[in-house]
Amino acid sequence: MINHLHVETHSFFGLKPGPNVLVLGRVHGNEYCGTLAINNVINLIQNQLVNITSGKVTFVPITNPLAAIKGTRNGDRNLNRAFYPKGSSKNDFEDELNGILSPILEECDVLLDLHSFLNGVKPFALIGNTAGDEKAIVVNQEKVYTSESHLVSALEVDTVIANWSETYARGVKNRRKRDGILSPPFSLNYDEKYGDGTTEYARSKGALAITLECGQHEDVSAPRVGVNAILNILGCLRMIEERYNPVADNRKISCISLFDVIDKISHGDKFTKNWKTFMKIEKNEIIGISEKGKEVIAPKDCFMVFPNQNAEPGQEWFYLGEQS
Ligand SMILES: [Zn+2]
């Protein structure tokens, strides 16, 4: 039974010093794979099929219990937005959760947040940006240098998206300029801090943080992708005896760095095709046509990311990314 009056965590401490890893499942209540993957790994550890020899790993199988009870993405609101402690001004269930979860995120060295998606086929991951994110982690008195790009290479993904939060924040600033909203307080749509989710918050406190989209919501292989991700990251950080189910080291992972986000302006703005994430767009290709008949044209060869035909006017319609 899920209880939304508390949050349940499981921690395992290896006897030797090492990194502090946090794994979150079901930040979105309808994304079951994270919970299934975490419970599976807890089982492996409890049955000594995997042994944590150094460091600490904390699992949160159900990060948003209210959303999980409802079986929907959000409880009162999206937990993966405006993620920071709210002090005494708590307005909803997720604000209460922020107060409980923030200290756990603040103390971790590495965060793995497990999600699933509605539209799409293959698993993919999101990292911060690809430049200069290397971090020294002490494992067993030895410094191990790692980075989000390095950790992500241990996951079963062939595509990684970078630069989401910078692009989001730039989009919000453009939106303020466009709509003539000049000074705070800003409502959610005009507040770049609204874009801060679990990984952005953890990163702001010095952690390496990865969001793994394990597969489509109903995909039966998504929990396995999550299990392998947890074990491979623990292996990479030398917290378990051996790498479990390692993925081939010579795989080519393509990294798509976001560079622009375009808002939908009117209800009548239409895409020219049924765009899906990672579809290629050619320079000067017409991506969409506004209600007033203006063509929205690709500035260069790039990729479509997170197109949302149902976006509300004034909100993100699609992102553009390029290979990096
Ligand atoms: Zn999600």
Side-chain angles (χ1 to χ4, degrees):
M1 282 286 278
I2 303 168
N3 187 336
H4 73 288
L5 299 175
H6 62 234
V7 175
E8 189 177 322
T9 72
H10 293 252
S11 290
F12 296 90
F13 296 77
L15 294 185
K16 294 177 187 147
N20 185 340
V21 173
L22 174 63
V23 185
L24 301 180
R26 224 141 151 200
V27 162
H28 292 135
N30 60 338
E31 300 177 6
Y32 302 88
C33 65
T35 308
L36 295 169
I38 286 172
N39 287 338
N40 195 325
V41 172
I42 290 174
N43 225 316
L44 293 173
I45 298 172
Q46 287 173 336
N47 288 297
Q48 294 178 33
L49 295 166
V50 169
N51 295 303
I52 306 289
T53 53
S54 59
K56 171 189 176 186
V57 56
T58 297
F59 297 103
V60 188
I62 297 174
T63 310
N64 189 340
L66 180 61
I69 287 172
K70 288 181 166 178
T72 52
R73 184 173 178 82
N74 306 334
D76 291 332
R77 66 168 175 86
N78 187 348
L79 177 60
N80 216 12
R81 292 282 185 274
F83 196 110
Y84 48 88
K86 303 297 185 307
S88 53
S89 63
K90 295 184 180 74
N91 294 316
D92 49 42
F93 182 76
E94 281 73 10
D95 283 354
E96 301 281 356
L97 282 181
N98 287 155
I100 297 161
L101 297 168
S102 296
I104 306 175
L105 268 74
E106 282 159 23
E107 66 167 25
C108 77
D109 297 307
V110 173
L111 166 65
L112 177 64
D113 189 4
L114 300 172
H115 289 250
S116 59
F117 49 77
L118 177 62
N119 294 310
V121 186
K122 283 180 160 184
F124 65 93
L126 290 113
I127 59 174
N129 56 50
T130 45
D133 64 341
E134 200 169 68
K135 181 181 162 93
I137 289 176
V138 178
V139 186
N140 217 349
Q141 283 154 6
E142 198 187 318
K143 262 189 192 173
V144 176
Y145 286 92
T146 185
S147 63
E148 289 174 12
S149 350
H150 173 235
L151 289 176
V152 99
S153 68
L155 309 181
E156 284 172 80
V157 294
D158 41 37
T159 317
V160 172
I161 294 177
N163 261 343
W164 180 82
S165 63
E166 288 89 336
T167 309
Y168 180 87
R170 216 174 36 246
V172 168
K173 283 179 191 150
N174 290 341
R175 187 183 291 166
R176 285 207 292 259
K177 215 187 279 174
R178 181 190 70 216
D179 296 349
I181 310 281
L182 300 173
S183 50
F186 298 123
S187 61
L188 296 183
N189 260 348
Y190 295 105
D191 184 0
E192 58 262 50
K193 243 179 123 57
Y194 182 66
D196 286 3
T198 57
T199 51
E200 288 75 22
Y201 185 71
R203 232 174 256 134
S204 77
K205 302 295 174 186
L208 301 174
I210 296 171
T211 300
L212 175 61
E213 298 282 351
C214 299
Q216 206 276 335
H217 294 327
E218 316 292 332
D219 190 341
V220 290
S221 62
R224 183 191 50 77
V225 171
V227 168
N228 286 346
I230 297 168
L231 296 174
N232 285 344
I233 283 192
L234 295 177
C236 247
L237 296 167
R238 303 191 213 158
M239 292 168 66
I240 55 177
E241 280 137 353
E242 55 198 75
R243 273 178 75 176
Y244 185 93
N245 278 344
V247 287
D249 280 331
N250 55 358
R251 278 168 325 132
K252 211 176 141 18
I253 297 183
S254 95
C255 180
I256 294 183
S257 195
L258 302 182
F259 65 88
D260 207 359
V261 54
I262 284 84
D263 279 350
K264 193 168 177 178
I265 305 294
S266 312
H267 276 295
D269 296 355
K270 289 262 160 19
F271 284 132
T272 49
K273 56 170 103 158
N274 186 15
W275 292 109
K276 302 239 188 290
T277 290
F278 304 137
M279 271 170 92
K280 275 187 178 159
I281 310 174
E282 282 180 15
K283 185 179 174 177
N284 294 330
E285 186 169 353
I286 303 167
I287 299 169
I289 297 180
S290 79
E291 195 176 272
K292 290 179 177 160
K294 190 166 174 271
E295 293 171 340
V296 181
I297 290 169
K300 52 182 159 184
D301 288 347
C302 54
F303 292 90
M304 171 59 74
V305 180
F306 305 142
N308 183 5
Q309 183 53 63
N310 300 323
E312 287 298 316
Q315 300 200 343
E316 306 101 273
W317 194 16
F318 61 91
Y319 287 79
L320 294 177
E322 59 191 333
Q323 202 105 34
S324 71

